[in-house]
Each structure stands twice: as structure tokens, then as C-alpha cells.
Amino acid sequence: MSRSLRLLVALALACCCLGVPGLTPTAARAADRPDGIPPLTDDRGRVITVRGWNVEDKAGRGESALTAVTEKHFRDMRAKGFNVARLLVFWDDLEPRRGRYSREYLRRIERILNWAHRYDVQVLLDAHQDVFGPAFGHRGIPEWAARTDGLPFTPHPDDWFSEYFEPAVQRAFTHLYEDPDLRRAQARMWRVLAARFGGHPAVLGYDLINEPMGELRDGEDPAAAARRVEREQLTPMYNRLADAVRSVDRDSWLFVEPTPIVGEGVPTGLGRIDDPKVVYAPHFYNTAMEAGADYDPDAGWIEAYEAAVTVYPARHRIPVVVGEWGPLNNALPNMSRFYRDALASLNRYSSGWAGYVWCYGGGYCAVDAEGRFRANKEQTAAPYAAAVAGRVSADAFDPEAGTYRLRYRAAGRGVSELSLPPDAAGWRIAVTGRAWTPTEAVAAGRACTVRVFAARGAEVEVTVTRRDVNQG
């Protein structure tokens, strides 16, 4: 073993399992996923996987904005093995009056990013909107930017998503996309955020707008309207916003979403976004399950969604990270099967995901008031390769066998990192090839970042097993 490799190992032994960022390896060669979709990579060239949760404060606004998000969110997420948070931020809080940006709101975002960095959690800043914004009783785009041409709006308190189809809401989206002054205002908003946070070590990237919608034309069905909106309005909007961000931040990833109708298994109509660091970020919701139905394994929804959602990123050669997913009622009889099928699908084509939502209670919350996973959501906490310095050829976790396997061809003297969640029995780690790890076992109930060191060009296999599996 070379003197330099001994030094790397000594440093790793000093920080293993403490969540300390890894050492800087030489650039890795990014391996394509089996369907031709490239992986996400970090600034060291490693292939990365992000898994975590949305973090939000939809109730707090003005003086109380973001106060419901605490350091505990990030400490607890990391303690269960997650490494990414999609943080909801609202334009109406950032710029409540046109041209007046809230310094206090920016400070609160920065405080949250500092907490995330403390626990080695990367953050995706999401410009969130629900039903456009405050003009219609929700959050997102400021009321001063809502132009309705006097069209009607009727609230639907028992079915808020149907409010997207109200004429006033649809017209407001059209003006956002088409009016030159609103285009400039949206671009300025993103320049403010990217200029302030582009250099923050916790920032992974920017989700440019949450679940964008548009206006149906007479005689147009929703699927056709969505394809047209994506092609003619969202694509140029994303290119404008990309230019705005790049004027102040050259490095962060840009996440672009289709309309929510992609959840019905319809490929997006988005065109090319002319930027080298774009991520396709669809959401993964089923209409029937959102209305309270149980998962139907025979309906083929997950298969149809996967077939549709992979078309765009494969064509444009961009990574996929699913920005939201997870049912409201996760305790129904078939939900254990749903989580198994959904996670298997997501892991086939995506570089990661953010579940909805990390909070402490009922409904969509990931955990209860005591911090315990709610029914079936414990399946989201599984071993994964957070960073691989090399070309990945196999990467899979078998939950029934309790075994995770990673195979890759190493690049340089790069350090790869595996994230292991707490397990009641603990984990054992074995490495074959010209590589090794200082961490051969992880104690029960403890999350750990396992670092693997490999010689350039080595064919490496890492096997992680539960300590009660064939271990006596």
C-alpha cells in the first residue's frame, strides 16, 4: 500500500460514520443507467445518489415564515441515512411587494442551509407554488403577479387540486409565461436566490418551479394541453430562468419539472433546456391513491409511469431525480407492496428522490411525533451508494435477503461512499478487488457513511449484509 493511500485511510478512520464530507478523489467516469439515462454527478466527478425528503413550512408566512423548519429536521433525516432535502421556498415571502426582497426571509433560508450543511445534507431549493399563490388562497407566486383578466375563480376546499382548472388560475399562468414584465420579475427572483446561495456548500441546485400548470384551450383535453404548455411555454421559461441563474451561479444543478399530468403515464412535451447541468424532476403521484384508494398492483400504473417518464431524459441525456412522491394513506392493505414496487422502479432509472414530506405527525408525514417511521415508510431507509468514484455496473438492495451489492470500476484513487441506515442488527461490509474499507461492521441502531478506497481501474465489489444474515 502506498504512503499516500495509508494517509487517506488514516483520515477515513478518524471520521468514519460521523457524517464528515469525503476526501476529494480524481474525477470519476459517469456510468449510464441501463436505460441510457446518465447519472447525477458531484463536483468531484463522482456518480451520486440522493435520497431524502421534502421539508416545508406552508403555514408560516411573513414574520413566521420558515419558523416551523428546525435543525431537528436535518439531524433526524441524516440519522436515518438520508442525504438530501427539497426545501420549499415561496416567491410571495421573498418578494411580498414588487421589487422589495425580504432580507429576513433570505437569512432564514441561510440558517436552514447551515443546519443542513452541519449534518451533511444537500438541499434543493424549490420555488414552490400551489394553485399559483395567495391570489387564490394558497402559497407561491405573489399576489401582485396574478393577472386574471377578470375571469372567475371558485374555491374547492374539498379538492384543492381541481382549483388549477378554474379559469382565473389558468389565465394567471398564461400571463406568467407570456407577459414580458412578469418574465423579468421571475428571472430577477431567481437571480436573487442564486446570487445569495449559489456558493453555499449545502446547495445542490434549484427546482425552478413546482408543478407548473397552464391554460386549456376550447376543445383541448388535459393531456394535449399539457404537452402544448410544456413545449411552447415551459421550455422557453426554463431556458430564460437558466440564463438568469447562470449569470450568478455557474455550478449548481437546475431541476425542471413537467406538468403534473406526467403522473398519468404520459411523456412530457418539454423541449431541450440549453444548459449542461439540467436534471429532469417529475413527481410520482397516482390520482386514485391521492383520492384515498389503495394501491392496485395489477393496474400497471408504476410500469406505465416508468415507461413514460424515462423518454425525455433518455432523449436529452439528462439525469432524473423525482422531486415528490408518497401516498397520503400509507397504511392501507397493499401499501407495503406499493413501497416495494415504487422503490424498485425509482432505483432503476433515477439518481434519487425526495419523499413527501418530513414532518412529525399524520397524513403525508414520514415519521410520527416520536420520530418513528409511519407505516411502511421504513422501507425508504435502505443502503445506497451516495457517491461512487468510478463507473457503476451493478447497484441493488434486496430487502428480503437484507443484502446490498455495489460493483464498479474505480477511477483514480477516488473515495466512494455508501450510506447505511440504522438497523436493529447492524451491518457487515465486505470488499473484493484492489480496494478496501476501514469499516467492516456497523453497530446496531447506527447510521454510517462507509468509505471505500480503490486503486485506479480496479474492479470493485462491495457487499453489505445485515449482521443476523448468515452471521450467526
Side-chain angles (χ1 to χ4, degrees):
M1 186 187 302
S2 70
R3 181 176 180 275
S4 60
L5 188 54
R6 286 194 190 100
L7 177 60
L8 289 174
V9 170
L11 289 170
L13 283 167
C15 65
C16 178
C17 302
L18 297 179
V20 178
L23 302 169
T24 303
T26 55
R29 185 177 169 197
D32 290 344
R33 302 191 77 81
D35 50 16
I37 297 172
L40 198 64
T41 54
D42 66 8
D43 57 3
R44 308 169 191 178
R46 298 181 297 177
V47 175
I48 63 173
T49 297
V50 292
R51 294 187 184 173
W53 295 84
N54 283 257
V55 175
E56 67 179 27
D57 179 6
K58 288 187 176 182
R61 61 182 69 195
E63 292 184 358
S64 65
L66 290 176
T67 55
V69 178
T70 68
E71 183 176 357
K72 175 180 171 64
H73 286 72
F74 301 94
R75 182 180 67 241
D76 290 356
M77 276 194 289
R78 198 70 186 96
K80 291 187 182 294
F82 299 108
N83 68 349
V84 75
R86 180 175 179 259
L87 176 65
L88 279 59
V89 297
F90 297 106
W91 185 2
D92 60 290
D93 271 324
L94 176 61
E95 192 181 4
R97 289 189 293 170
R98 188 165 189 164
R100 302 286 186 90
Y101 296 97
S102 170
R103 294 180 181 179
E104 180 59 27
Y105 193 63
L106 291 169
R107 281 194 291 267
R108 289 179 184 179
I109 294 172
E110 185 170 25
R111 179 178 63 182
I112 290 170
L113 292 176
N114 291 342
W115 290 332
H117 182 54
R118 182 175 302 166
Y119 296 102
D120 201 20
V121 174
Q122 293 183 286
V123 176
L124 171 58
L125 291 176
D126 160 43
H128 206 85
Q129 66 79 30
D130 292 319
V131 193
F132 201 83
F136 308 105
H138 295 273
R139 305 300 313 281
I141 299 161
E143 191 163 6
W144 56 258
R147 296 173 182 168
T148 67
D149 297 337
L151 293 176
F153 171 74
T154 302
H156 300 268
D158 296 327
D159 182 16
W160 68 269
F161 194 83
S162 66
E163 294 175 358
Y164 275 114
F165 297 94
E166 285 293 311
V169 175
Q170 296 198 345
R171 184 60 53 85
F173 277 105
T174 295
H175 282 294
L176 176 70
Y177 303 143
E178 302 295 342
D179 290 8
D181 64 323
L182 294 183
R183 290 179 176 185
R184 289 192 296 269
Q186 189 183 25
R188 282 196 303 270
M189 178 270 294
W190 266 116
R191 279 195 295 271
V192 168
L193 284 173
R196 179 66 177 263
F197 302 120
H200 197 288
V203 171
L204 173 65
Y206 313 109
D207 193 332
L208 298 176
I209 186 171
N210 176 69
E211 296 185 352
M213 294 288 276
E215 188 168 5
L216 276 73
R217 293 173 177 169
D218 289 342
E220 194 175 39
D221 66 66
R227 304 289 79 77
R228 173 184 51 78
V229 167
E230 290 163 342
R231 181 179 63 253
E232 298 178 7
Q233 294 176 319
L234 297 188
T235 300
M237 178 192 68
Y238 287 139
N239 277 298
R240 288 193 302 273
L241 298 182
D243 289 343
V245 169
R246 292 304 177 220
S247 69
V248 293
D249 180 355
R250 307 298 303 178
D251 299 322
S252 300
W253 288 93
L254 303 180
F255 290 67
V256 299
E257 298 187 32
T259 59
I261 202 167
V262 70
E264 299 304 314
V266 182
T268 183
L270 281 175
R272 176 172 293 279
I273 313 304
D274 296 320
D275 190 274
K277 296 190 72 173
V278 173
V279 179
Y280 185 51
H283 292 180
F284 179 40
Y285 291 118
N286 174 262
T287 302
M289 290 167 61
E290 288 300 290
D294 199 358
Y295 172 57
D296 181 359
D298 298 323
W301 169 65
I302 289 178
E303 295 82 357
Y305 177 90
E306 182 176 334
V309 83
T310 52
V311 173
Y312 178 80
R315 177 185 301 136
H316 293 284
R317 304 288 297 164
I318 61 175
V320 178
V321 172
V322 171
E324 288 186 26
W325 74 284
L328 174 61
N329 188 346
N330 50 285
L332 294 169
N334 289 334
M335 283 301 169
S336 178
R337 170 71 180 273
F338 166 74
Y339 276 94
R340 291 197 303 273
D341 291 353
L343 288 164
S345 176
L346 289 167
N347 297 342
R348 278 193 291 271
Y349 64 84
S350 80
S351 289
W353 39 259
Y356 189 81
V357 57
W358 192 271
C359 55
Y360 302 84
Y364 286 102
C365 286
V367 293
D368 63 19
E370 286 73 41
R372 298 171 300 209
F373 277 119
R374 299 184 63 241
N376 296 307
K377 294 195 176 187
E378 73 282 351
Q379 294 186 48
T380 61
Y384 63 97
V388 179
R391 188 177 183 89
V392 178
S393 58
D395 178 8
F397 176 59
D398 182 342
E400 293 186 4
T403 302
Y404 171 77
R405 286 189 173 86
L406 170 70
R407 289 198 299 272
Y408 67 98
R409 182 180 179 86
R413 291 174 179 165
V415 180
S416 297
E417 298 179 359
L418 277 62
S419 179
L420 305 184
D423 184 82
W427 302 100
R428 292 192 183 277
I429 301 96
V431 178
T432 60
R434 290 182 297 148
W436 80 301
T437 179
T439 309
E440 296 181 353
V442 178
R446 189 178 187 187
C448 185
T449 297
V450 174
R451 292 174 175 84
V452 178
F453 303 85
R456 181 187 296 274
E459 296 291 342
V460 181
E461 180 164 335
V462 184
T463 303
V464 179
T465 55
R466 290 195 177 101
R467 294 176 71 180
D468 60 345
V469 178
N470 299 321
Q471 301 292 333

